[in-house]
Amino acid sequence: QVFNNYNQALDKVYKPQTWVDSAVWLDTLRFQDVNWFAAMHYIDIPFSDDDTPLLTPQEINALWAIEKSRHLLLNQYATAFDKGIALRILMHVVGDIHQPLHAVTRMSSEHPKGDRGGNLVLLDDNSIAKNLHAYWDKGGGILGGKKHNGMAYIKKRAAKIEQRWPCEVLVLDTTPIQWAQESHALAIHNAYALPMNEQYQKNAQKISEKQIATAGCRLGTLLNTIANDSVARFDSMS
């Protein structure tokens, strides 16, 4: 309930968001040309196939956002409004970092500063996306598009994913750097394993479903840990 209160604390300034809608609130800001949080959506962990020198990821990134949000949610002096912002950032970025192309950039002679997580990798004509990053944002076709945005579809798809990938069989650690490293490996060995064909799409969809489930389970574990730590801190002070 306390997290619901934090979420609703933003209602006087922003359009009220359900628990589901608040998870994508950070993206809606980008559509409104509010880009203060843009660097928080990803971490450009570099790799190269042609020995192009690797650049260091920028300091403000998805891992930074998760840690700062967690810290603020544990801060007894922070306002409910500030904690609401931190909660929505946390909910969104934990999901983003499980999308393989949010944890990678390929540096090459063609793109010496990186391909922006596959955004600069243009794809041949297909019905899903124009570039590699967008293709994986859409889970190889299981997300995106008007028919996939309705609540009925989301609930149906979520139920299938939960049945196929229950939390008890997933790794529920709360170590964001490990999450990023897992996604980075998936990107190198799967997302960049072009050319695209039917088997590639099936693999992308399977990985995306598992990553969605893993992200949801890990987010739940993280929020429970934050709630328990908050109670422990309050008890120690009383």
Side-chain angles (χ1 to χ4, degrees), residues 9-186:
L10 275 62
D11 290 353
K12 292 182 180 180
V13 178
Y14 298 100
K15 177 182 177 182
Q17 303 283 313
T18 66
W19 189 252
V20 173
D21 290 336
S22 64
V24 296
W25 176 78
L26 213 60
D27 274 345
T28 67
L29 294 183
R30 300 179 79 175
F31 298 143
Q32 298 170 32
D33 203 27
V34 178
N35 296 305
W36 297 351
F37 304 102
M40 299 183 185
H41 292 257
Y42 58 90
I43 176 168
D44 280 341
I45 304 175
F47 84 104
S48 176
D49 294 322
D50 62 5
D51 296 324
T52 297
L54 304 182
L55 302 179
T56 302
Q58 60 193 56
E59 181 180 353
I60 296 178
N61 53 50
L63 295 182
W64 182 93
I66 291 172
E67 176 55 27
K68 294 299 182 182
S69 297
R70 186 193 68 82
H71 182 76
L72 196 150
L73 284 167
L74 288 169
N75 186 338
Q76 60 176 316
Y77 301 109
T79 67
F81 184 89
D82 288 340
K83 290 189 176 185
I85 295 287
L87 174 64
R88 291 187 183 184
I89 290 173
L90 192 66
M91 291 174 66
H92 186 88
V93 177
V94 169
D96 268 354
I97 207 171
H98 282 80
Q99 202 274 63
L101 288 167
H102 277 257
V104 71
T105 188
R106 180 170 63 179
M107 295 177 177
S108 62
S109 57
E110 183 180 5
H111 302 297
K113 294 185 179 180
D115 67 359
R116 295 173 52 211
N119 273 292
L120 300 181
V121 180
L122 302 182
L123 302 177
D124 294 333
D125 287 342
N126 67 85
S127 61
I128 298 173
K130 295 181 179 180
N131 67 67
L132 189 64
H133 186 99
Y135 183 93
W136 281 79
D137 268 349
K138 296 180 179 180
I142 63 172
L143 304 169
K146 292 182 179 180
K147 70 177 183 178
H148 294 166
N149 288 338
M151 188 56 66
Y153 174 85
I154 292 173
K155 288 182 177 180
K156 183 178 180 180
R157 173 63 69 172
K160 288 184 177 180
I161 291 175
E162 288 175 353
Q163 184 178 23
R164 186 172 299 171
W165 307 104
C167 288
E168 57 264 25
V169 302
L170 298 172
V171 179
L172 300 184
D173 65 86
T174 55
T175 312
I177 184 62
Q178 178 66 27
W179 308 345
Q181 290 169 346
E182 289 174 3
S183 291
H184 181 73
L186 286 171

Side-chain angles (χ1 to χ4, degrees), residues 194-206:
L194 300 169
M196 194 171 291
N197 52 36
E198 183 178 349
Q199 184 56 45
Y200 180 99
Q201 182 175 12
K202 288 181 179 179
N203 191 44
Q205 291 179 349
K206 180 180 180 180

